[in-house]
């Protein structure tokens, strides 16, 4: 039974929590796209400090699970190794249980520099990226001649020759376009590459072959999406998106398995909506309600610490991402965060220039101007974080979940009432 977990909003839906839970029954957990722009939190129990994972699959906390990073990921060795060391300090050893594709592209220090320079130059028009070098690294992948893949660490002499050419070109571009005065130093980069080669080589493998073998042997594979479908490069709110196909449509290209290898697509949503970075957000509540949700839900970025923008649940955008991903089931997290709001609004439609829209608009400036049509439900005031069964939820909380489910026409199978494993309600 192979499952793909994918975010249906603008990221941070709680994918880390769901992957951690489902990985109890998985033999392999696979990160297939994005990079260290992702921040996936896992809270094993209320007593324990949370784990924040950026590149390692969230199955890494279970030693019996094989964790795989495939070709679609842009891998920052600096961050990955720091993450591995951080886990080792907490008693989690990583050895043979981590497999990395030699085809994964490497995020180099100059990609992060380029991300920062580009965002600074854009000024008020910036995308609000995570400055993790994601866009520049994927751009080099597409350019090809300036790209470096993990397998290039296996031939350091060749890599040095290529880095001399690449940095020569980047230095010219950074100086001419951004007025940068600190040229890149190949010796410093090569020192890093030597360290990375030593530590990463044992993990490098052909993950496409590994996944095909696992699939044919009937092993259970869990795919961990990063970002959210509305940040998808082709299908999201362009240009305020990330640089990969992070919705479910990107899965096959990013791991080399055909779509038919997946039995279930599980979409993850929050009981409301959040977004970090710039871009349209029709149901945003830039007011007391938005601040209430942000404070109660601790809505600050796992990767950058930035405050997240918050607003009501939007069945138009999530209906669209359900279609896009062929979503079979939904996990709705953070229901507890809505407690204390007198009324709960659900966006059921968009109006643009006086007319109802029957589709999710492709243009960011249209989406920026749509008016939301809301349905209002009564709120609930009880603290629901200690509740252990769906039936024990207050009536108003169940009514909210079931109304969203009816509007989305997709079963909500899991409901989150807190960050930890035990704060999860399963529905039949
Ligand atoms: P991801 O990027 O999709 O993995 O999500 P993040 O980890 O970036 O953000 C989700 C945040 O919500 C994390 O701090 C989680 O610990 C927390 N969280 C997950 N599920 C719930 C829930 O049901 N209730 C509450 N209050 N917090 C949750
Ligand atoms: P997880 O996996 C939320 C957003 C950034 C920015 C845009 C482009 O934790 O859900 P990038 O650095 O990718 O070039 O930034 O995408 N973004 C995310 N927002 N969660 C994420 O990942 C994100 N990854 C990227 O904030 O708006
Ligand atoms: Mg996150």
């Amino acid at each position: 039974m192979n499952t793909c977990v994918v975010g249906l909003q603008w990221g941070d839906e709680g994918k880390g929590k769901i992957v951690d839970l489902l990985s109890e029954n998985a033999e392999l957990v696979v990160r297939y796209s994005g990079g260290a722009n992702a921040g996936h939190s896992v809270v094993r129990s209320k007593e324990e400090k949370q784990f924040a994972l950026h590149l390692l699959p969230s199955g890494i906390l279970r030693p019996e699970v094989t964790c795989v990073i495939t070709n679609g990921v842009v891998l920052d060795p600096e961050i990955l190794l720091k993450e591995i060391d951080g886990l080792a300090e907490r008693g989690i050893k990583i050895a043979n249980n981590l497999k990395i594709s030699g085809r994964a592209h490497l995020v180099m220090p100059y990609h992060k520099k380029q991300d920062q320079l580009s965002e600074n130059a854009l000024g008020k028009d910036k995308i609000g990226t995570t400055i993790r070098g994601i866009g520049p690294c994927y751009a080099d992948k597409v350019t090809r001649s300036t790209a470096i893949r993990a397998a290039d660490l296996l031939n350091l002499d060749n890599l040095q020759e290529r880095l001399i050419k690449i940095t020569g070109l980047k230095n010219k571009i950074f100086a001419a376009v951004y007025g940068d005065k600190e040229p890149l130093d190949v010796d410093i980069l090569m020192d890093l590459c030597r360290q990375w080669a030593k530590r990463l080589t044992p993990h490098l493998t052909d993950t496409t072959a590994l996944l095909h073998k696992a699939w044919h042997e009937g092993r259970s594979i869990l795919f961990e999406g990063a970002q959210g479908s509305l940040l998808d490069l082709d299908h999201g709110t362009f240009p305020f998106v990330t640089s990969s196909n992070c919705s479910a449509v990107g899965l096959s290209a990013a791991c080399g398995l055909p779509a038919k290898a997946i039995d279930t697509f599980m979409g993850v949503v929050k009981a409301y909506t959040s977004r970090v970075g710039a871009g349209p957000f029709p149901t945003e509540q830039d007011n007391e309600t938005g601040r209430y949700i942000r404070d109660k839900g601790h809505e600050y970025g796992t990767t950058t610490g930035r405050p997240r923008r918050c607003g009501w649940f939007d069945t138009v955008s999530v209906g669209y991402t359900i279609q896009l991903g062929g979503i079979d089931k939904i996990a709705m997290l953070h229901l507890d965060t809505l407690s204390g709001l007198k009324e709960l609004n659900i966006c059921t439609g968009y109006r643009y220039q006086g007319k109802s829209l029957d589709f999710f608009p492709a243009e960011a400036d249209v989406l920026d101007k749509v008016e939301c049509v809301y349905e209002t439900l009564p709120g609930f005031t009880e603290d629901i974080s200690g509740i252990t069964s769906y039936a024990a939820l207050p009536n108003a909380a169940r009514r909210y979940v079931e109304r969203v489910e009816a509007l989305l026409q997709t079963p909500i199978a899991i409901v989150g009432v807190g960050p930890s494993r035990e704060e999860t309600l399963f529905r039949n």
Side-chain angles (χ1 to χ4, degrees), residues 11-17 39-41 43 50 270 296-297 302 308 333-337 416-419 423:
D12 301 326
E13 297 90 348
K15 299 174 292 293
K17 170 173 171 162
H40 294 181
S41 328
V43 183
Q50 75 158 27
K270 275 176 180 155
K296 189 136 197 287
T302 313
R308 295 178 184 145
L333 301 181
H334 275 273
L335 186 62
D336 53 303
T337 300
V417 293
E423 293 165 307

Side-chain angles (χ1 to χ4, degrees), residues 44-113:
R44 294 194 294 193
S45 72
K46 281 186 194 174
E47 293 73 41
E48 195 183 46
K49 209 176 124 226
Q50 75 158 27
F51 292 88
L53 301 165
H54 300 287
L55 280 161
L56 289 168
S58 299
I60 202 74
L61 304 180
R62 302 185 191 266
E64 66 283 7
V65 168
T66 298
C67 285
V68 185
I69 296 177
T70 68
N71 59 293
V73 171
V74 284
L75 187 81
D76 184 333
E78 230 170 343
I79 294 178
L80 178 73
L81 293 171
K82 217 193 256 175
E83 204 165 317
I84 292 176
D85 293 341
L87 287 182
E89 278 169 24
R90 294 183 67 177
I92 291 153
K93 273 222 181 91
I94 291 156
N96 229 354
N97 56 336
L98 175 65
K99 309 287 181 194
I100 300 172
S101 170
R103 295 183 175 104
H105 285 248
L106 294 189
V107 175
M108 301 296 285
Y110 50 76
H111 288 130
K112 289 178 270 193
K113 176 174 178 168

Side-chain angles (χ1 to χ4, degrees), residues 88 95 130 151 162 181 207 281 291 293 377:
T130 57
R162 298 206 40 240
K181 293 190 176 68
T207 57
F281 179 175
R291 283 190 287 279
I293 295 174
L377 266 61

Side-chain angles (χ1 to χ4, degrees), residues 30-34 68-75 100-105 138 141 149 205-208 211 250-257:
V30 182
R31 257 295 299 272
Y32 59 89
S33 72
V68 185
I69 296 177
T70 68
N71 59 293
V73 171
V74 284
L75 187 81
I100 300 172
S101 170
R103 295 183 175 104
H105 285 248
Y138 277 120
K141 175 176 178 173
R149 304 202 295 179
T205 189
D206 183 336
T207 57
T208 307
L211 288 176
L251 177 70
S252 285
C255 77
L257 277 183

Side-chain angles (χ1 to χ4, degrees), residues 10-12 15 37-40 128-130 227 231 241-242 276-277 306:
W10 280 287
D12 301 326
K15 299 174 292 293
N37 48 350
H40 294 181
T129 74
T130 57
Q227 288 75 57
L231 289 170
V241 292
T242 190
V276 265
R306 289 179 292 176

